[in-house]
């Protein structure tokens, strides 16, 4: 993949896009390359956004952060942590999932890929925290959408389209994100020896209780180790203590509820986040379903011999298994959800599309929406 | 009124009888309204300064009927204005003389409730409050709570991306909706999102929410429901200065506390509310804060103390904590009745809806005060203080010649001011017709054209709710003009619209 340019400013980006349109070339917007293994190879020229980096404005009391897309995720996380705040959707670095060092992921990349961690189930995803943006369309035109305040309904909510667009609509040159206070206290509670069905029921009971559960995940039994179902509580210390006691009552039917030590708890969630709990070798699927269907999908994964994990109270299943594309997609379809092929061998990628095929009517509409931003298909690298 | 709406199409006006007949073939009997007297209730929405009888009204009851109506109108080049309960404060549901008004009132059923997935599937005509009523026995509720919640419909909430006093903590409609079915102007029925958290492809739901009836007619909505908090407690805090109240809000958030609600009222609003409901609001203060905390009892107890401390450190002159549910409700009574209360002290009022960065609050209130003197019209401010969403209520008398125009000019100046300090034209009520012509204050021509291109992807003939949101109508052909370079189109393999 050749480098078209190495833009250092928004107008450089606009020029690069205009040049590509004139030359009939395609551009692949890249951030840190932490997810470069997703989808097909990137034909066309790279449009690296790394030099468009840095914080534009950060006012903690307004809960708003404006940042350029090439800013490393780690920098953003450290910056807001310094003000006892956080990006509540828990974006994470995909590097390790592809066997790379972590640290390369950029804020533009994680938002464009719609990356969100375990807290997505209670706090929303990247889409819910992207308030505004500046971008360059496939016409090479600079435009603004959304705003730099937490509450706004002026005009169409174009930033929602950016999250999860994988750089196929426009090149973001500035992002305004909502930040939130970091919880003062965090506690992790474990149930063990539940089967997937029981785990989904227990997580639903917890999420449906007044204990305000932030995250709920399940790691199945493996190699003689019993399964773990984890619930995370966050907030002020007296509140977390009261809610932990409440969960003991709510979950009394599911066996003892053990309080994890701080390190043990953090390890578990880090394992879910980096997927260190799954083997690194085979193809990796991300299956998005209604939580009530989580156990049925897990049963299919068991039958396929996949290593798997369940997050979002059953609504997200990560599964590592080679050559099972059809079965995985069928299981997601039956559950009313969808499955994304996140990582795979070049051979599998050549035959299995990364994204779940949309319904025909929807595919046509999505296509028209993409052309509304990128009429010439400059950003259509064919990766997906 | 100074509002210019799209020129009515004379051919359509002349074909009225034919259109009535065609729509009666789709929705029989009383579902099509053409009697001028019966059309009166549809003449305006919550923005009552503007009135216009529609060509006719149609009240379908099924998605198939909506689809057939839209397909017929599309084929016959007839404009359509969707309407829920008609409480829009921005004129989003204002009819057009040559447009069919499509009312969703018959879509009033709750289709499914699932407590494992914590969702409810509802038809768009279900009211916001009915959604909560349907799940409250099981201990759940639907979080976004616009003050109009007894009347406004979920479909209208989706179209306007409505908020409420609890949206700092719980989000706007867009953060509480997982999927929907909608019908595009050509009659095609599309389902987006679902019961899972992330969409399979582009987040189209994210743009349909808040699209003010311009992209499609929503016929089914899947909303998230939440367990009702164990307790809710409120504080009523009086400040002798607006700065003190503003700093209390900032310090609360800096202390890591996101209250369930944080509302501010200024002196005129406090006095009007207290005179109306008599709940014991302090009258000798310049600003009143109502802070609500919800969650487990231990959390509320802890945070009430924290906020009292922060309030006193910022010069609070009175602090009351609700001891029981009745008192909490009483604290809110004045705020919730602020609009009718202001309606008692003035024949008419005009509600604005800008958002500002909170740090500019004092300056903005001072300049609103100066504008009030300039225009010779009173103003009372209620304010979703946590998220910076300001609702100045401009007091006027429509019977005094010129006052409505002055009120509108005053309102426009307030919104310009909001944009000038880094805020926006609307925090929750939508652009509609009301703020349409102010859009260039916030967006460049390129920004607006990009938004309109999205509209073209859904409704290339611009037949759905025209004249709303965008100050200037561009033809889609013009907006979508291809880049043709040296006589050839790049990437001819890609489909185009
Ligand atoms: C007293 C009062 C208090 C209010 N308080 C608040 C508040 O606290 N917060 C807030 O956010 N708003 C508030 N509002 C504004 C209003 O209630 C909301 O905007 C509400 O969501 C409108 O819902 P509706 O059903 O009345 O929609 P309508 O007024 O009928 O329509 C609003 C818009 O939605 C479109 N529309 C309606 N239904 C559909 C559908 N099914 N498919 C596609 N488009 C559709 C219409 O074309 C129109 O553009 C208040 C209004 C009043 C009168």
């Amino acid at each position: 993949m050749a480098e078209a340019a190495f833009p250092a400013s928004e107008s450089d980006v606009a020029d690069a896009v205009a040049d590509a349109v004139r030359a009939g070339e395609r551009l692949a917007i890249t951030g840190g390359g932490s997810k470069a293994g997703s989808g097909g190879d990137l034909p066309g020229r790279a449009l690296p956004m790394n030099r468009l980096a840095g914080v534009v404005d950060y006012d903690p009391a307004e809960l708003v952060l404006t940042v350029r897309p090439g800013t490393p995720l780690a920098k953003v996380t450290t910056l807001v942590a310094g003000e006892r705040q956080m990006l509540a959707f828990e974006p994470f670095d995909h590097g390790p999932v592809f066997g790379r060092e972590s640290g390369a992921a950029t804020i533009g990349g994680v938002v464009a890929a719609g990356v969100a961690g375990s807290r997505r189930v209670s706090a929303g995803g990247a889409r819910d925290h992207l308030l505004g943006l500046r971008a360059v369309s496939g016409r090479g035109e600079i435009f603004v959408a959304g705003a730099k305040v937490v509450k706004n309904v002026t005009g169409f909510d174009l930033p929602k389209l950016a999250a999860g667009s994988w750089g196929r609509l426009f090149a973001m040159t500035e992002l305004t994100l909502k930040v939130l206070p970091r919880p003062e206290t965090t506690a992790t509670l474990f149930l063990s020896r539940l089967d997937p069905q029981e785990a989904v029921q227990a997580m639903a009971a917890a999420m449906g209780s007044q204990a305000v559960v932030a995250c709920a995940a399940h790691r199945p039994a493996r190699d003689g180790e019993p399964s773990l179902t984890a619930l995370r509580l966050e907030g002020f210390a007296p509140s977390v203590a009261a809610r932990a006691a409440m969960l003991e009552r709510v979950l009394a039917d599911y066996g003892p509820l053990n309080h994890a030590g701080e390190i043990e708890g953090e390890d578990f969630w880090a394992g879910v986040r980096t997927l260190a709990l799954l083997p690194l070798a085979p193809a990796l699927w991300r299956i998005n379903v209604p939580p009530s269907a989580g156990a049925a999908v897990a049963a299919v994964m068991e039958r396929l011999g996949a290593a798997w994990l369940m997050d979002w109270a059953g609504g997200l299943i990560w599964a590592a298994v080679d050559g099972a594309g059809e079965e995985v997609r069928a299981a997601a379809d039956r559950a009313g959800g969808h499955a994304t092929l996140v990582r795979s061998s070049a051979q599998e990628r050549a035959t299995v599309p990364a994204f779940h095929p949309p319904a025909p009517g929807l595919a046509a509409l999505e296509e028209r929406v993409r052309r509304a931003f990128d009429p010439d298909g400059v950003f259509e690298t064919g990766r997906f | 009124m100074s509002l210019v709406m799209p020129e009515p199409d004379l051919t359509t006006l002349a074909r009225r009888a034919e259109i009535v007949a065609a729509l009666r073939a789709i929705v029989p009997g009383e579902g099509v309204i053409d009697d001028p007297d019966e059309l009166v209730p549809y003449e305006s929405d919550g923005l009552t300064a503007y009135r216009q009888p529609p060509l006719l009204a149609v009240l379908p009851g099924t998605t198939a009927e909506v689809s057939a109506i839209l397909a017929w109108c599309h084929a016959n080049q007839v404009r359509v204005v969707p309407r829920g309960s008609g409480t829009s404060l921005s004129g989003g549901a204002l009819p057009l003389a040559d447009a069919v008004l499509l009312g969703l009132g018959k879509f009033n059923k709750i289709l499914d409730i699932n407590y494992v997935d914590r969702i409810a599937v509802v038809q768009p005509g279900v009211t916001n409050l009915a959604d909560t009523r349907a799940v409250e026995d099981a201990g759940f509720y639907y979080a976004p709570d616009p003050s109009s919640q007894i009347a406004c419909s979920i479909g209208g909430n989706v179209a306007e991306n409505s908020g409420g006093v609890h949206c700092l903590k719980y989000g706007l409609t867009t953060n509480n909706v997982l999927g929907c079915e909608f019908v595009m102007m050509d009659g095609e029925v599309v389902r987006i999102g679902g019961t899972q958290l992330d969409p399979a492809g582009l987040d189209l739901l994210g743009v349909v929410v808040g699209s003010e009836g311009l992209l499609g007619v929503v016929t089914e909505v899947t909303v998230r429901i939440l367990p009702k908090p164990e307790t809710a407690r409120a504080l009523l805090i009086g400040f002798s200065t607006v700065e003190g109240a503003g700093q209390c809000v900032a310090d609360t958030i800096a202390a890591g506390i996101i209250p369930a609600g944080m509302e501010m009222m200024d002196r005129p609003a406090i006095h009007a509310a207290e005179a109306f409901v008599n709940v014991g609001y302090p009258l000798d203060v310049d600003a009143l804060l109502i802070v609500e905390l919800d969650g487990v009892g231990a959390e509320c107890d802890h945070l009430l103390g924290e906020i009292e401390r922060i309030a006193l450190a910022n010069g609070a002159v009175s602090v009351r904590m609700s001891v029981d549910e009745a008192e909490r409700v009483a604290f809110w009574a004045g705020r919730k009745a602020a609009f009718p209360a202001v309606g008692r002290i003035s024949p008419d009022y005009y509600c604005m809806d800008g958002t500002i960065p909170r740090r500019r609050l004092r300056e903005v209130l001072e300049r609103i005060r100066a504008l009030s003197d300039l225009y010779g019209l009173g103003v009372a401010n209620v304010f979703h203080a946590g998220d910076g969403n300001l609702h100045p209520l401009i007091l006027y008398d429509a019977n005094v010649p010129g006052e409505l125009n002055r009120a509108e000019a005053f309102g426009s100046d307030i919104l310009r001011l909001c944009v000038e300090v880094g805020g926006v034209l609307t925090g929750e009520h939508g652009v509609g017709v009301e703020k349409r012509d102010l859009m260039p204050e916030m967006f460049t021509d390129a920004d607006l054209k990009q938004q309109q291109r999205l509209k073209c992807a859904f409704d290339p003939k611009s037949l759905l709710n025209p004249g709303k949101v965008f100050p200037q109508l561009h033809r889609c052909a013009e907006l979508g003009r291809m880049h043709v370079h040296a006589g050839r189109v790049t990437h001819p393999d890609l489909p185009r619209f």
Side-chain angles (χ1 to χ4, degrees):
Chain A
M1 188 166 63
E3 302 240 316
F6 205 8
S9 68
E10 186 176 71
S11 61
D12 287 355
V13 177
D15 289 347
V17 174
D19 287 349
V21 171
R22 258 191 305 276
E25 281 177 343
R26 298 188 183 193
L27 289 174
I29 304 165
T30 61
S34 66
K35 289 170 279 293
S38 261
D41 288 335
L42 296 171
R45 285 167 169 274
L47 184 62
M49 303 299 278
N50 307 62
R51 282 175 73 193
L52 267 79
V55 175
V56 178
D57 189 20
Y58 176 35
D59 188 338
E62 301 284 337
L63 303 175
V64 169
L65 165 70
T66 300
V67 64
R68 294 199 186 86
T71 316
L73 174 63
K75 265 205 174 147
V76 176
T77 329
T78 312
L79 171 74
V80 297
E83 297 290 336
R84 289 183 297 144
Q85 293 191 328
M86 63 175 179
L87 295 176
F89 58 105
E90 269 192 310
F92 59 94
D93 190 330
H94 271 70
V97 177
F98 295 98
R100 293 192 196 95
E101 291 288 299
S102 60
T106 61
I107 189 71
V110 295
V111 169
V115 176
S118 297
R119 208 191 281 109
R120 163 91 179 85
V121 70
S122 60
R127 51 127 34 212
D128 297 291
H129 296 88
L130 182 63
L131 300 170
L133 53 80
R134 296 180 61 90
V136 174
S137 73
R139 302 166 176 269
E141 278 174 6
I142 296 165
F143 69 94
V144 172
K148 295 182 176 180
V149 289
V150 291
K151 193 170 176 199
N152 169 39
V153 299
T154 319
F156 292 151
D157 196 354
L158 302 185
K160 290 278 178 303
L161 288 174
S165 68
W166 288 87
R168 288 175 78 189
L169 295 175
F170 41 73
M172 282 185 276
T173 51
E174 185 185 286
L175 296 80
T176 295
L177 293 155
K178 180 176 179 182
V179 291
L180 282 172
R182 219 178 153 72
E184 179 203 81
T185 310
T186 298
T188 299
L189 306 169
F190 284 128
L191 291 165
S192 56
R193 300 178 194 285
L194 301 186
D195 68 25
Q197 183 67 43
E198 293 164 337
V200 167
Q201 283 166 1
M203 291 191 286
M207 297 301 302
S209 78
Q210 293 172 325
V212 194
V213 175
C215 316
H218 174 78
R219 192 207 69 193
R222 190 161 39 111
D223 305 333
E225 264 189 82
S227 76
L228 277 184
T229 308
L231 304 164
R232 199 204 297 170
L233 298 176
E234 300 178 335
F236 293 95
S239 168
V240 170
R243 287 183 281 144
M246 179 187 274
L247 274 186
E248 280 182 29
R249 293 193 296 277
V250 170
L251 300 174
D253 291 349
Y254 297 92
L257 189 64
N258 297 310
H259 288 245
E262 205 176 313
I263 296 175
E264 192 191 353
E266 265 170 32
D267 275 358
F268 178 88
W269 297 109
V272 175
R273 187 163 53 238
T274 58
L275 300 173
L277 296 173
L278 294 179
L280 192 55
L284 181 67
W285 288 89
R286 187 174 179 278
I287 311 167
N288 225 277
V289 293
S292 57
V297 173
V300 176
M301 296 309 123
E302 287 286 318
R303 196 155 43 67
L304 291 171
W308 59 274
L309 271 181
M310 205 186 257
D311 202 352
W312 301 354
L316 177 69
I317 290 126
W318 291 99
V321 56
D322 277 326
E326 268 174 41
E327 291 92 334
V328 173
R329 287 250 147 91
D333 275 332
R334 274 195 305 278
H338 54 89
T340 307
L341 181 57
V342 175
R343 175 189 73 203
S344 58
S345 63
Q347 187 195 353
E348 188 154 6
R349 271 191 271 166
T351 50
V352 183
F355 286 136
H356 206 89
L362 196 54
L365 177 60
E366 284 195 12
E367 186 63 41
R368 292 200 300 276
V369 169
R370 279 199 290 270
R371 296 291 76 78
F373 291 93
D374 178 18
D376 296 334
V378 185
F379 300 128
E380 296 288 356
T381 57
R383 181 178 180 184
F384 302 106
Chain B
M1 77 181 192
S2 52
L3 187 71
V4 180
M5 294 304 285
E7 275 299 305
D9 180 59
L10 298 177
T11 332
T12 305
L13 295 179
R15 289 173 63 197
R16 185 168 185 261
E18 180 202 335
I19 298 169
V20 169
L23 297 189
R24 285 225 161 103
I26 299 169
V27 184
E30 293 176 352
V32 177
I33 302 170
D34 63 343
D35 179 285
D37 290 340
E38 288 177 42
L39 287 174
V40 171
Y42 299 100
E43 275 180 8
S44 79
D45 55 21
L47 185 66
T48 49
Y50 300 130
R51 294 186 174 275
Q52 168 65 56
L55 182 71
L56 57 101
V58 57
L59 310 175
T62 64
T63 301
E65 286 176 359
V66 172
S67 167
I69 294 165
L70 292 181
W72 190 90
C73 290
H74 185 252
N76 289 276
Q77 209 55 38
V78 174
R79 293 164 170 165
V80 176
V81 176
R83 178 184 173 104
S85 304
T87 66
S88 166
L89 291 174
S90 55
L94 180 70
L96 297 168
D98 64 343
V100 169
L101 188 91
L102 183 87
L104 278 305
K106 282 199 209 160
F107 280 79
N108 58 4
K109 285 177 220 40
I110 307 237
L111 302 174
D112 189 23
I113 295 169
N114 181 328
Y115 295 112
V116 174
D117 294 331
R118 296 176 302 287
I119 52 125
V121 182
V122 303
Q123 291 189 326
V126 171
T127 63
N128 175 291
L129 191 61
D131 195 3
T132 285
R133 292 276 179 263
V135 296
E136 69 187 355
D137 286 348
F140 284 78
Y141 76 117
Y142 175 60
D145 57 342
S147 312
S148 51
Q149 68 181 157
I150 3 167
C152 66
S153 71
I154 292 288
N157 290 177
V158 166
E160 300 285 16
N161 190 11
S162 301
V165 294
H166 290 108
C167 65
L168 176 66
K169 181 167 177 184
Y170 295 104
L172 295 162
T173 302
T174 191
N175 312 109
N176 290 278
V177 167
L178 286 179
C180 77
E181 176 191 79
F182 68 97
V183 187
M184 287 194 290
M185 189 62 218
D186 64 1
E188 187 177 338
V189 181
V190 182
R191 284 192 159 268
I192 49 176
T195 308
Q196 76 283 0
L197 290 179
D198 282 345
L202 283 179
D203 191 351
L204 297 179
L205 181 64
V207 283
V208 167
V209 177
S211 63
E212 305 199 22
L214 266 71
L215 298 185
V217 175
V218 175
T219 47
E220 186 190 295
V221 186
T222 301
V223 300
R224 297 184 85 176
I225 51 174
L226 294 177
K228 201 167 159 1
E230 185 183 79
T231 357
R233 303 273 303 273
L235 288 120
L236 193 66
I237 314 170
F239 291 88
S240 49
T241 63
V242 167
E243 291 98 308
Q247 198 53 47
C248 179
V249 171
D251 289 353
T252 299
I253 287 172
I257 305 168
I258 300 290
M262 200 148 40
E263 293 293 309
M264 197 190 292
M265 297 164 79
D266 72 355
R267 187 179 273 266
I270 301 165
H271 281 251
E274 178 59 17
F276 188 49
V277 294
N278 273 302
V279 283
Y281 282 3
L283 295 174
D284 54 348
V285 295
D286 260 9
L288 186 67
L289 267 189
I290 304 172
V291 182
E292 179 156 293
L293 299 159
D294 66 5
V296 289
E299 175 166 333
C300 295
D301 290 345
H302 172 70
L303 294 182
L304 285 170
E306 286 289 295
I307 291 174
E308 180 180 37
R309 192 180 52 72
I310 295 169
L312 292 173
N314 282 296
V317 292
S318 66
V319 181
R320 283 171 64 192
M321 291 181 194
S322 68
V323 289
D324 54 23
E325 186 58 11
E327 193 169 28
R328 184 187 72 86
V329 171
F331 285 0
W332 277 108
R335 167 62 185 87
K336 294 219 161 162
F339 291 16
V342 163
R344 253 180 30 139
I345 59 167
S346 169
D348 297 285
Y349 66 89
Y350 181 31
C351 173
M352 310 310 297
D353 173 46
T355 302
I356 57 166
R358 272 185 283 99
R359 60 176 179 252
R360 308 291 293 268
L361 176 65
R362 194 194 69 178
E363 175 194 349
V364 168
L365 290 185
E366 273 170 9
R367 285 174 66 185
I368 290 178
R369 199 59 58 216
L371 286 168
S372 162
D373 293 342
L374 181 74
Y375 284 100
L377 295 174
V379 62
N381 284 293
V382 296
F383 183 35
H384 301 306
D387 45 29
N389 188 195
L390 205 54
H391 289 319
L393 304 172
I394 299 173
L395 315 182
Y396 73 100
D397 183 349
N399 288 324
V400 177
E403 278 213 357
L404 171 60
N405 284 345
R406 271 203 340 266
E408 288 184 339
F410 183 4
S412 297
D413 279 353
I414 291 176
L415 296 182
R416 283 191 193 96
L417 171 60
C418 290
V419 175
E420 182 198 315
V421 300
V424 300
L425 296 172
T426 170
E428 57 180 12
H429 294 167
V431 176
V433 295
E434 188 203 20
K435 296 146 208 138
R436 185 192 70 186
D437 297 336
L438 290 171
M439 288 289 270
E441 298 285 331
M442 206 174 130
F443 295 113
T444 65
D445 191 46
D447 302 340
L448 289 172
K449 280 188 172 149
Q450 191 52 66
Q451 295 190 29
Q452 283 177 276
R453 288 190 188 103
L454 180 75
K455 159 82 170 164
C456 294
F458 287 76
D459 174 23
K461 291 186 178 178
S462 285
L463 291 172
L464 197 56
N465 218 4
K468 315 289 167 70
V469 182
F470 297 110
Q472 210 189 337
L473 281 177
H474 292 284
R475 288 168 49 83
C476 287
E478 170 203 339
L479 287 165
R481 241 194 326 256
M482 302 306 331
H483 291 231
V484 179
H485 309 286
R488 72 188 173 93
V489 171
T490 48
H491 308 307
D493 51 316
L494 293 168
R496 305 180 191 276
F497 63 90

